[in-house]
Amino acid sequence: MVFLATDSLFDSKKTEKYILSIQVCLDGFSFSVTDDTKARLLACGMVPATISSEKFLGRRFKEWVESEELLKKPFGTTNILFCSRKITLIPSVFYEFERQKQIFEQNYGTQEDHAIRDNYLPDIKANLVFAVPKSLIETVDKLFPGCPVTHSIGLLHKKIQESQYLGKYKQLISLFFQKSSFSLLLYKDGQFIQHNSFDYQHQNDVAFYVLSVLKTMKINSDGLKVVLAGNVTQNGDVHAILSGYFEETEFLTPSVQFNKDV
């Protein structure tokens, strides 16, 4: 694991005053510790992994949590984020809880050994529906009782809504990267209009898919704001090629303060 105590304010003996956020995906696990009273990121950690199937996530997640002493400590609040490509947005006017599994499986097929969950997005009056391995749900319930599971895309959308981007730019795309895939959120005139996900093998694939979406939606790339998040690095290949196509490209700024030197 890469572990960072971002500044001297971090105190492992006062974790009950902090917020622990954990993200789980096939690429591995990561976490952050924040102090809400000071709006500051205090610590973060990441363990890359190659997990061949979601059915192993519960076991691997349990092994990781139990190997990290910090994660065993009591925190004031714990958030669990699950990151996967398989999500469906259903407008609330058409949403029926009893039929969410049926609707989800019409898109992705039978989800054996998975539980269907949803996050409500109030600003667009829609439910983000996704499948979580039952083994992971069971592990979360044992290690973090009562902690709900939120999809990472739902959180990203919330952060975009809370940011200044939508008021400043008429057209905006947010890209959230995993190791070999990415999700795309498209906004126009302050309104969310599309979500999509793509696998990619080369940075050129990313540019191709983004430009294809813009062409399909008849959106001009001039003046388009591109906001990057997830498993993507500044001045890396993906960032470099997108910067070549879009002048307004930047990384999502955390809503908390953090030690930039670390």
Side-chain angles (χ1 to χ4, degrees):
M1 169 187 288
V2 177
F3 177 78
L4 302 174
T6 61
D7 56 39
S8 59
L9 294 177
F10 177 72
D11 188 341
S12 62
K13 297 179 181 179
K14 297 182 179 180
T15 56
E16 70 279 358
K17 298 181 180 180
Y18 301 153
I19 298 172
L20 171 66
S21 298
I22 300 174
Q23 180 171 270
V24 181
C25 67
L26 291 176
D27 295 341
F29 313 110
S30 58
F31 74 89
S32 66
V33 176
T34 56
D35 184 342
D36 200 34
T37 61
K38 296 181 174 63
R40 190 167 185 87
L41 174 67
L42 299 180
C44 60
M46 177 181 177
V47 53
T50 301
I51 303 172
S52 60
S53 172
E54 288 186 349
K55 67 181 181 181
F56 302 125
L57 272 174
R59 186 188 72 193
R60 295 288 297 274
F61 181 63
K62 180 176 183 291
E63 293 171 351
W64 173 62
V65 172
E66 292 181 342
S67 70
E68 298 299 330
E69 291 302 317
L70 177 61
L71 302 183
K72 300 176 186 177
K73 294 180 178 292
F75 283 84
T77 301
T78 299
N79 303 311
I80 303 293
L81 303 171
F82 178 60
C83 187
S84 69
R85 279 193 55 200
K86 295 180 180 180
I87 63 176
T88 295
L89 271 174
I90 304 176
S92 297
V93 67
F94 301 117
Y95 177 75
E96 297 178 26
F97 177 78
E98 297 78 8
R99 296 186 63 237
Q100 68 174 8
K101 185 175 187 294
Q102 175 187 351
I103 294 174
F104 187 87
E105 290 185 342
Q106 285 177 348
N107 288 328
Y108 294 107
T110 302
Q111 299 297 301
E112 295 182 359
D113 302 320
H114 283 68
I116 305 302
R117 293 290 187 267
D118 74 290
N119 299 152
Y120 179 60
L121 307 182
D123 59 290
I124 60 174
K125 295 181 173 60
N127 289 71
L128 191 156
V129 182
F130 55 101
V132 186
K134 290 181 180 178
S135 64
L136 180 60
I137 293 290
E138 293 169 357
T139 300
V140 170
D141 287 343
K142 290 179 181 178
L143 298 177
F144 307 100
C147 183
V149 177
T150 301
H151 199 282
S152 299
I153 295 302
L155 178 61
L156 175 61
H157 172 75
K158 179 182 177 182
K159 294 300 181 183
I160 293 294
Q161 291 293 321
E162 293 172 350
S163 72
Q164 61 181 351
Y165 294 124
L166 296 183
K168 187 176 180 181
Y169 298 95
K170 294 193 65 175
Q171 301 173 154
L172 180 143
I173 277 184
S174 181
L175 305 177
F176 180 84
F177 288 87
Q178 293 180 256
K179 186 176 181 179
S180 58
S181 65
F182 70 96
S183 292
L184 178 154
L185 300 177
L186 177 61
Y187 301 84
K188 185 176 182 179
D189 298 324
Q191 301 296 314
F192 171 80
I193 61 173
Q194 190 183 95
H195 163 266
N196 216 323
S197 295
F198 305 94
D199 289 324
Y200 75 97
Q201 296 182 339
H202 191 272
Q203 62 268 22
N204 288 336
D205 299 338
V206 177
F208 171 79
Y209 288 128
V210 173
L211 293 171
S212 295
V213 168
L214 295 178
K215 182 177 180 180
T216 300
M217 301 301 294
K218 298 180 179 179
I219 292 178
N220 194 314
S221 61
D222 293 341
L224 177 76
K225 182 69 174 182
V226 179
V227 179
L228 308 178
N231 190 0
V232 58
T233 58
Q234 190 165 9
N235 299 321
D237 292 339
V238 170
H239 180 216
I241 195 166
L242 290 174
S243 298
Y245 283 98
F246 308 104
E247 294 182 2
E248 295 282 354
T249 301
E250 69 177 66
F251 287 80
L252 181 67
T253 302
S255 57
V256 294
Q257 303 175 62
F258 60 98
N259 187 336
K260 294 182 180 180
D261 293 334
V262 178

